[in-house]
Amino acid sequence: MQKYQTSFLLVQSSILPTNWQLAMKIFFVIFGILGCFSWPSMQSDLETYIVQVESPESQISTQSSRMDLESWYKSFLPKTIATTGSDEKPRLIYSYHNVIIGFAARLSAKQVKEMEMTPGFISAWPQRILSLHTTHTPSFLGLQQNIGLWRDSNYGKGVIIGVLDTGISPDHPSFSDKGMPAPPAKWKGKCESNFTKKCNNKLIGARTFPLGSDSPIDDFGHGTHTASTAAGGFVKGANVNGYAKGTAVGIAPLAHLAMYKVCQPFGCADSDILAAMDAAIDDGVDILSISLGGSSRSFYEDPIALGAYSAAQRGILVSCSAANNGPYERTLSNDAPWIMTVGASTLDRKLKATVTLGNQKVFEGESAFHPNDHNSAFSPLFDPSLNATDFDSPYCGTGTLNDPEIKGKIVMCMVGGGYSMTQKGQAVKDAGGVGMIVVSTADYGFTMFADAHVLPALYITYKDGMEILDYMNTTSKPTAKILFQGTIIGDKDAPVVAAFSSRGPSIATPGILKPDIIGPGVNIIAAWPTSVENKTNTKSTFNIISGTSMSCPHLSGVAALLKSTHPTWSPSAIKSAIMTTAYTVNFANDPILDERLLPANIFAIGAGHVNPSRANDPGLIYDTQFKDYLPYLCGLNYTNRQVGNLLQRKVDCREVKSIPEAQLNYPSFSITFGEVSQTYTRTVTNVGEAKSSYSVEIASPPGVSVTVKPSTLKFSKLNQKLKYQVTFTKRDNRTNGGVIQGFLKWTSKKHSVRCPIAVVLESTIGF
């Protein structure tokens, strides 16, 4: 047995909402001290293990056989704990029957060691704790009432989106069922605890894991925000402090929602995540939206990959956030090919604020501070890092600003240090400061965040911050004033890849291009359980937060619209339609930029930015067949048992003709050049016009020759499948390495089907 240490993973602190940060900061300070211990062992020597076992002889398909399955699981438990006294906490926590053949149980390390000797045992690991990773976005994505995709899909009517998150605020107007039809007859889910009377035709399911724990109420806001982004109804007058004012609406406003609360104050346990996915499959969801995750790891030991495989096999599309560990390479998670992995980008909306120095130089930033009664006069500037006795002073940490000279001044605060924007602002306010300038890190480039600050404040880039500090150091009496200019629409650079958005190549499967797609994830306004403006007379409360957690539900909503329009499409067909129709240029018609305002790397944008309307009519799709995952997994050099863990059946890779990763019928290419020439096959299905002809256009990566045979595809009917071969050949023997990119595109009179190509030159990046 291989044992894995429980890990605690944090989302980038700068992109968390303020009250969420406060709660999570307390937790992670505690666990920063105790992190070397496995958390359940602080209560006893028992720990929650996820145990995988072989399938019993009989097929598990009926309710009675599920009882047999639970008996089979109990046979692995030590006889002294197979039954539990009434006052004792149950030792068998979950019996899984969809996502894996296995169970979760509270065991000691010694008991697990004994269990290893039981015939049928495969593996066991301690559960990990995973981390959690809008008004204008529908129009930004080209969704308009009564025309186009919204009209064609009837706003996602009849589709059920399951959300795994922190819970939901059922009384929020975003979850009103006005105009909503009853849920489809296939729905078998339920509303637990005190939600029995809270659910309606919009919110049709609400469950909590661990079973029997607190209610599905959202105490943090993250789940309410993501759920309303995916499928919230129309709410007029949404805003935060008067900013981004408009009608809030989710991407699929007539889709149904089911919330599976899997996250507690300490994080999201993978045993609970597996149990929620297990339940969601039975309940009858069509889409699973999962804005959480850990680090990339082999799929047979990744709970989200395991659950997503079983879900996809049953026709459920799984949309996941890519993680918030950018802008660094090889930092993404949720990277299995049967998952839609979503990165984050900006909108063309800015919540603009400026700081003007005494020398009249002006710097632009962002803020959602309410400017009523704000004194816009010049005030002295103060740098807490000068003569600081506390390490946290430059971050404006709580209790660190004790200098009496701060009174009446605007304070420069560095981002980070483990302090939220609210905590920084409150520290400045408590010290008598009249304003705050939050300075980003160098790596974050031009990515900026708009927070509802507690005093006049704005967020600026690192470069601008250094220029302001230089002004302060060379001026005897430096002054500045902060002005708030409100909501500005029309940024021609949009969409820009967010600095925090995790990048590929994938560690688990470098031969599959990840992320798949990017979508809006910066300064997104959506439903929130409480008022960040301290209003007590309304339930129509919203907040602005950022992260791939926000981009994921946008894509979940788009997938729901496509599922409504094309109910027979498989999850891979929907994902293909989204990827091959994505756009790779910004509003200025230049290549999409990254946080440095330089052309974005292919491992930052994947296929590009989602274009929902075009995805509704892609022309051709790459429909990955489930039978192809067996040779693909064998090609990853997994053992028979490891592949069997995923497929839930016995496998012998010696009897399988394994394939390289890039041979999987995927709507992109990611290859590493170690050989002179590589050839791969793709199969496309015609979902456009019955009689159509497509010609190939090739943009070869520099130094690589790309040939496609045949160069023309002629279709005579709908759903006809045709194959083509692509050969990649090095034109030179360059040794400097790097990542190069290109694409191939199939074009007919009506459709354009783009397939991105990523090439990693082996001398630079090895796997």
Side-chain angles (χ1 to χ4, degrees):
M1 178 192 72
Q2 194 172 2
K3 182 173 177 178
Y4 299 93
Q5 184 179 355
T6 303
S7 59
F8 300 91
L9 303 168
L10 252 179
V11 180
Q12 296 279 346
S13 61
S14 61
I15 60 176
L16 288 168
T18 51
N19 52 345
W20 172 269
Q21 282 181 309
L22 181 60
M24 295 302 282
K25 176 177 169 58
I26 295 169
F27 168 77
F28 282 103
V29 165
I30 296 170
F31 275 87
I33 300 168
L34 301 173
C36 57
F37 300 101
S38 187
W39 75 271
S41 64
M42 290 180 282
Q43 301 172 34
S44 69
D45 63 341
L46 298 181
E47 193 169 356
T48 298
Y49 283 83
I50 296 170
V51 182
Q52 288 188 282
V53 298
E54 292 179 358
S55 175
E57 293 291 328
S58 59
Q59 290 294 315
I60 308 302
S61 58
T62 66
Q63 193 63 38
S64 60
S65 61
R66 286 190 180 181
M67 293 171 62
D68 294 339
L69 186 60
E70 184 158 332
S71 297
W72 169 245
Y73 292 160
K74 285 182 176 178
S75 71
F76 287 87
L77 299 175
K79 287 185 171 54
T80 54
I81 65 166
T83 56
T84 308
S86 58
D87 296 330
E88 189 180 348
K89 197 172 179 181
R91 300 288 289 273
L92 180 64
I93 301 173
Y94 297 119
S95 295
Y96 304 118
H97 52 267
N98 289 316
V99 289
I100 60 171
I101 298 174
F103 57 92
R106 295 170 62 245
L107 302 163
S108 68
K110 182 181 178 183
Q111 288 166 341
V112 172
K113 198 74 179 170
E114 293 170 356
M115 192 184 295
E116 290 179 30
M117 309 304 294
T118 307
F121 174 89
I122 294 178
S123 65
W125 69 85
Q127 71 173 7
R128 294 185 302 154
I129 306 299
L130 309 185
S131 62
L132 291 163
H133 278 175
T134 99
T135 52
H136 178 58
T137 47
S139 60
F140 177 75
L141 294 175
L143 297 171
Q144 300 177 49
Q145 289 195 60
N146 303 318
I147 63 172
L149 180 54
W150 259 0
R151 178 197 63 199
D152 294 348
S153 66
N154 203 357
Y155 302 88
K157 183 178 179 181
V159 178
I160 302 167
I161 302 175
V163 181
L164 271 65
D165 217 296
T166 63
I168 196 166
S169 298
D171 295 329
H172 196 282
S174 289
F175 309 121
S176 163
D177 67 350
K178 183 179 179 180
M180 287 290 301
K186 70 169 185 172
W187 177 244
K188 294 179 174 58
K190 59 183 178 180
C191 292
E192 294 178 341
S193 185
N194 58 346
F195 267 57
T196 307
K197 295 180 181 179
K198 296 286 188 182
C199 286
N200 54 29
N201 285 336
K202 164 59 77 174
L203 180 61
I204 62 173
R207 305 178 68 173
T208 302
F209 300 85
L211 298 172
S213 59
D214 62 348
S215 84
I217 284 284
D218 185 6
D219 297 319
F220 299 105
H222 193 277
T224 298
H225 199 281
T226 58
S228 68
T229 300
F234 291 87
V235 181
K236 293 181 179 179
N239 69 91
V240 174
N241 282 332
Y243 287 96
K245 195 167 186 177
T247 297
V249 61
I251 302 302
L254 286 187
H256 305 281
L257 280 167
M259 173 58 69
Y260 300 85
K261 183 176 179 178
V262 296
C263 300
Q264 308 300 326
F266 54 79
C268 319
D270 55 10
S271 63
D272 297 332
I273 293 166
L274 274 171
M277 295 177 83
D278 209 61
I281 291 170
D282 278 340
D283 289 347
V285 303
D286 298 298
I287 311 290
L288 272 174
S289 189
I290 304 177
S291 290
L292 52 88
S295 56
S296 178
R297 59 196 305 161
S298 299
F299 302 140
Y300 57 83
E301 59 183 14
D302 180 338
I304 294 178
L306 287 163
Y309 183 88
S310 295
Q313 200 169 23
R314 291 162 174 82
I316 301 167
L317 184 141
V318 181
S319 170
C320 292
S321 50
N324 299 326
N325 300 314
Y328 312 109
E329 291 183 341
R330 291 182 281 180
T331 55
L332 55 74
S333 59
N334 300 326
D335 45 358
W338 48 86
I339 290 173
M340 181 164 64
T341 310
V342 186
S345 53
T346 65
L347 299 169
D348 65 337
R349 177 185 67 200
K350 290 190 174 183
L351 308 185
K352 188 177 177 181
T354 59
V355 54
T356 303
L357 304 183
N359 62 6
Q360 299 305 307
K361 190 146 191 182
V362 180
F363 299 93
E364 184 178 314
E366 294 208 44
S367 176
F369 172 75
H370 196 286
N372 284 0
D373 303 322
H374 166 54
N375 181 1
S376 58
F378 280 93
S379 300
L381 284 165
F382 183 83
D383 179 6
S385 67
L386 299 176
N387 304 318
T389 56
D390 194 305
F391 176 80
D392 283 350
S393 293
Y395 302 107
C396 300
T398 304
T400 65
L401 302 180
N402 303 312
D403 195 321
E405 296 213 7
I406 291 175
K407 189 173 183 179
K409 295 181 179 179
I410 296 173
V411 181
M412 298 287 290
C413 300
M414 301 303 294
V415 76
Y419 298 97
S420 71
M421 296 299 175
T422 297
Q423 290 170 313
K424 292 175 189 290
Q426 195 61 52
V428 172
K429 198 173 183 180
D430 291 345
V434 296
M436 176 175 69
I437 299 171
V438 180
V439 182
S440 186
T441 62
D443 288 344
Y444 267 38
F446 290 89
T447 298
M448 292 186 284
F449 305 103
D451 286 88
H453 296 283
V454 298
L455 82 170
L458 80 166
Y459 189 107
I460 64 171
T461 67
Y462 177 84
K463 179 177 177 294
D464 289 349
M466 294 304 102
E467 200 165 331
I468 294 173
L469 287 172
D470 183 62
Y471 160 75
M472 294 173 65
N473 292 331
T474 56
T475 305
S476 58
K477 293 183 178 180
T479 60
K481 66 178 179 179
I482 299 172
L483 296 174
F484 301 94
Q485 300 183 19
T487 306
I488 308 295
I489 304 289
D491 179 11
K492 295 297 184 185
D493 287 334
V496 176
V497 180
F500 57 78
S501 186
S502 286
R503 318 292 160 97
S506 164
I507 293 174
T509 180
I512 301 294
L513 176 60
K514 291 285 181 170
D516 293 306
I517 197 78
I518 58 173
V522 180
N523 296 332
I524 303 301
I525 182 171
W528 200 251
T530 57
S531 171
V532 296
E533 306 149 83
N534 296 318
K535 292 180 180 178
T536 57
N537 60 345
T538 180
K539 293 179 180 177
S540 184
T541 50
F542 295 85
N543 198 9
I544 298 170
I545 57 177
S546 300
T548 55
S549 281
M550 282 63 257
S551 52
C552 168
H554 280 92
L555 269 295
S556 304
V558 171
L561 296 178
L562 297 180
K563 181 71 175 177
S564 181
T565 310
H566 306 282
T568 62
W569 279 9
S570 69
S572 63
I574 293 173
K575 182 167 71 170
S576 171
I578 289 171
M579 291 173 65
T580 61
T581 58
Y583 58 85
T584 57
V585 295
N586 59 20
F587 282 11
N589 210 34
D590 294 321
I592 288 177
L593 306 175
D594 64 14
E595 73 287 343
R596 303 165 297 174
L597 298 186
L598 296 174
N601 183 288
I602 193 168
F603 288 116
I605 68 170
H609 191 282
V610 61
N611 185 342
S613 296
R614 281 198 61 211
N616 191 39
D617 185 18
L620 305 176
I621 54 172
Y622 296 79
D623 198 355
T624 310
Q625 300 297 303
F626 253 82
K627 63 181 178 61
D628 294 336
Y629 285 127
L630 173 55
Y632 159 78
L633 292 167
C634 288
L636 290 177
N637 293 321
Y638 289 175
T639 66
N640 291 337
R641 177 163 276 190
Q642 290 164 348
V643 176
N645 284 1
L646 269 162
L647 274 55
Q648 299 185 33
R649 58 185 173 87
K650 288 193 174 182
V651 166
D652 188 348
C653 283
R654 293 172 301 179
E655 298 175 357
V656 176
K657 188 177 180 182
S658 64
I659 60 172
E661 297 161 78
Q663 177 63 22
L664 192 68
N665 196 44
Y666 212 72
S668 60
F669 288 94
S670 178
I671 63 173
T672 301
F673 256 127
E675 304 172 14
V676 175
S677 180
Q678 299 179 33
T679 300
Y680 302 105
T681 304
R682 290 291 187 271
T683 302
V684 288
T685 305
N686 181 24
V687 295
E689 295 172 310
K691 290 186 178 181
S692 52
S693 178
Y694 289 80
S695 298
V696 72
E697 174 192 339
I698 301 170
S700 298
V704 175
S705 171
V706 180
T707 57
V708 176
K709 293 181 180 179
S711 59
T712 302
L713 297 174
K714 293 185 177 181
F715 295 91
S716 58
K717 58 184 178 180
L718 282 176
N719 297 315
Q720 182 181 356
K721 298 179 185 292
L722 291 177
K723 296 186 182 219
Y724 68 89
Q725 278 194 333
V726 189
T727 300
F728 301 93
T729 307
K730 262 184 169 179
R731 284 205 301 258
D732 56 51
N733 292 318
R734 62 172 69 186
T735 56
N736 55 336
V739 175
I740 50 179
Q741 59 197 61
F743 63 85
L744 65 84
K745 183 161 56 177
W746 292 100
T747 306
S748 70
K749 289 180 180 179
K750 185 179 178 182
H751 298 99
S752 178
V753 187
R754 187 179 184 276
C755 182
I757 299 168
V759 177
V760 176
L761 300 177
E762 209 167 39
S763 58
T764 296
I765 301 178
F767 301 102

